[in-house]
Amino acid sequence: MLLEGGAIAEGATGRSGGFLSSSLTHGVANGISRFPAEMPLLERLGRQNFDRTVVGLGQLEIDCDLELSGDLAVALEPHEESWLAQEAEQLSDLGHDVALLDRGSVRAELDSPTYRAALWQRSGAGILDPAKLAWGLARAAESLGVRVHEGSRVSRLRKARGTIELWTAGGSLVAQQALCATGAFRSPLATVRRRIVPVWDYVLMTEPLTAAQRSALGWERRQGVSDSANRFHYYRLTAGDRILWGGYDAIYHYGNGMGAEREQREATFARLAQHFFRTFPQLEDIRFTHRWGGPIDTCSRFFAFYGLSHGGRVAYAAGHTGLGIGASRFGARVALDLLAGRETEATRSRLARTRPVPFPPEPLRWTVIQATRRALARADRRQGRRGPWLRLLDRLGLGYDS
Ligand SMILES: Cc1cc2nc3c(=O)[nH]c(=O)nc-3n(C[C@H](O)[C@H](O)[C@H](O)COP(=O)(O)OP(=O)(O)OC[C@H]3O[C@@H](n4cnc5c(N)ncnc54)[C@H](O)[C@@H]3O)c2cc1C
């Protein structure tokens, strides 16, 4: 039985950019900085998870416009070129199919006057329609006998006589086991609540491109694209040839603020539009038809953590932090294996056995997050040089490098 607090696809998944990645660690650099010795294993498990996602979508006949078109990470500043060169080496050492593109070659793929160079990752990366994915998965689960109850937020879990009681506003039920996958929303588990902050991320969507607009861009191979600063944009074509353009601002609201009133943010949309037209001046006449925001389930190591509570009857997978479309499938597998008491390569890994440092309570939480946001913006203005605050976080193993 699936108890869904809102409606299927209303959470982060359905609102996401739809970049499907094989990375379980929010990129190789982040993984190497935390689990260097384990990265070959984590990359292998991530590639396996990616491949099984692709095969599973076919077997379950979920049409979500999947395109295995790879990723382009573009450099807009000179110092980002050396970052991309380093990442290319790391990816290649871990068995990925990558190429470094100079200015001319990247502009032949996708034309922007802002590009200096790019890293093209051809393996383990694709794009899909994430709402169609969520709806398709729910339909597939129902066809296999799962009962889906929307509007059933679980407010409390309790161990009772060898079972688990789950409470919603409409009533309670008793289960042998439960798996909590509550994303950025308030978890019924205290151990998850301490480790997750919702960080709001925003997206614009253009009207469909005309044939002339498409040819002014190139983009024949339809890669998902992101730029490389700490505050970065991500963008992609949809199946209907619109451009989804998001990222840059990442907004934390005091007290883990959530709610529909946060889904629209004028200042961020204006900034995103300005950056869009700077990147693609050849699209000066295009209009944005949709705009929205959603909460990212952020934890202090920037990739997910897993565990058991309530005497082993409840499992959780949480904290995918901006790259959870592919990794949450892996998270579900780990959590189910933990519930079943099955030891696997994945459950034995340090990734599965360790958890991120919790965030401090408010008001310190807000202060620390705002200081980090300001420090990341400052580093972007100073050719990537990290100031004392970011260096301290790096030393404590809490640093973020996009
Ligand atoms: C704007 C945006 C863009 C993003 N872009 C990408 C991207 O391109 N690629 C990528 O990999 N990741 C991206 N992400 C991150 C990604 O969306 C998340 O990491 C991932 O979707 C998390 O999946 P999930 O199933 O854990 O959470 P969700 O998709 O948020 O699902 C959690 C569900 O649990 C329900 N729920 C919560 N609490 C309860 C409760 N107590 N009881 C019952 N139900 C509950 C919620 O209603 C929700 O439907 C993006 C996120 C945002 C917001």
Side-chain angles (χ1 to χ4, degrees), residues 58-318:
Q59 284 169 343
L60 295 168
E61 296 178 6
I62 297 176
D63 178 7
C64 56
D65 304 330
L66 173 68
E67 300 181 59
L68 298 179
S69 46
D71 258 358
L72 272 183
V74 295
L76 310 184
E77 301 289 340
H79 64 275
E80 293 167 7
E81 292 181 46
S82 54
W83 291 351
L84 292 186
Q86 189 185 9
E87 193 181 334
E89 211 176 299
Q90 292 168 334
L91 282 165
S92 168
D93 287 349
L94 290 164
H96 279 282
D97 175 11
V98 292
L100 278 171
L101 306 183
D102 62 15
R103 185 194 297 261
S105 314
V106 62
R107 289 190 66 173
E109 290 294 325
L110 171 59
D111 195 13
S112 166
T114 62
Y115 295 168
R116 303 179 61 93
L119 164 59
W120 184 5
Q121 183 183 333
R122 289 179 286 232
S123 53
I127 48 175
L128 49 71
D129 180 325
K132 285 188 180 173
L133 170 71
W135 290 320
L137 284 171
R139 261 195 312 273
E142 280 183 308
S143 75
L144 295 169
V146 175
R147 278 178 290 159
V148 177
H149 291 283
E150 295 186 316
S152 304
R153 187 162 301 279
V154 176
S155 52
R156 196 153 69 95
L157 286 170
R158 203 179 65 175
K159 214 165 90 178
R161 290 187 296 279
T163 62
I164 286 295
E165 279 178 6
L166 300 100
W167 298 79
T168 72
S172 66
L173 65 86
V174 175
Q176 291 302 312
Q177 294 182 316
L179 196 171
C180 286
T182 48
F185 300 80
R186 189 176 194 279
S187 169
L189 305 176
T191 184
V192 174
R193 279 203 298 278
R194 280 197 294 275
R195 291 179 167 83
I196 296 285
V197 296
V199 172
W200 285 75
D201 198 49
Y202 294 88
V203 169
L204 297 174
M205 177 85 87
T206 69
E207 60 191 337
L209 271 63
T210 61
Q213 286 166 331
R214 265 305 303 275
S215 76
L217 290 175
W219 219 346
E220 289 304 317
R221 285 185 257 241
R222 303 174 61 86
Q223 301 95 331
V225 185
S226 54
D227 42 42
S228 306
N230 290 308
R231 297 193 296 172
F232 63 97
H233 307 89
Y234 53 88
Y235 42 104
R236 52 162 293 186
L237 290 166
T238 67
D241 272 355
R242 297 168 185 269
I243 298 176
L244 175 145
W245 174 270
Y248 195 76
D249 273 355
I251 308 293
Y252 172 70
H253 297 278
Y254 189 87
N256 278 21
M258 294 284 280
E261 69 279 13
R262 301 202 160 83
E263 290 171 11
Q264 299 288 319
R265 193 166 194 273
E266 292 306 324
T268 294
F269 293 135
R271 198 163 15 255
L272 280 173
Q274 195 190 16
H275 296 174
F276 177 92
F277 290 115
R278 195 189 302 151
T279 306
F280 297 129
Q282 62 273 53
L283 300 183
E284 60 180 353
D285 296 329
I286 207 161
R287 287 180 315 123
F288 298 106
T289 53
H290 300 75
R291 46 210 223 150
W292 67 87
I296 289 187
D297 48 336
T298 306
C299 70
S300 66
R301 72 182 191 184
F302 310 103
F303 50 81
F305 58 96
Y306 322 92
L308 289 170
S309 78
H310 293 70
R313 289 192 173 270
V314 178
Y316 55 84

Side-chain angles (χ1 to χ4, degrees), residues 3-5 12-13 16-19 153-154 182 234 294 297 322-325:
L3 297 177
E4 162 54 58
T13 299
S16 74
F19 285 60
R153 187 162 301 279
V154 176
T182 48
Y234 53 88
D297 48 336
L323 209 57
I325 299 301

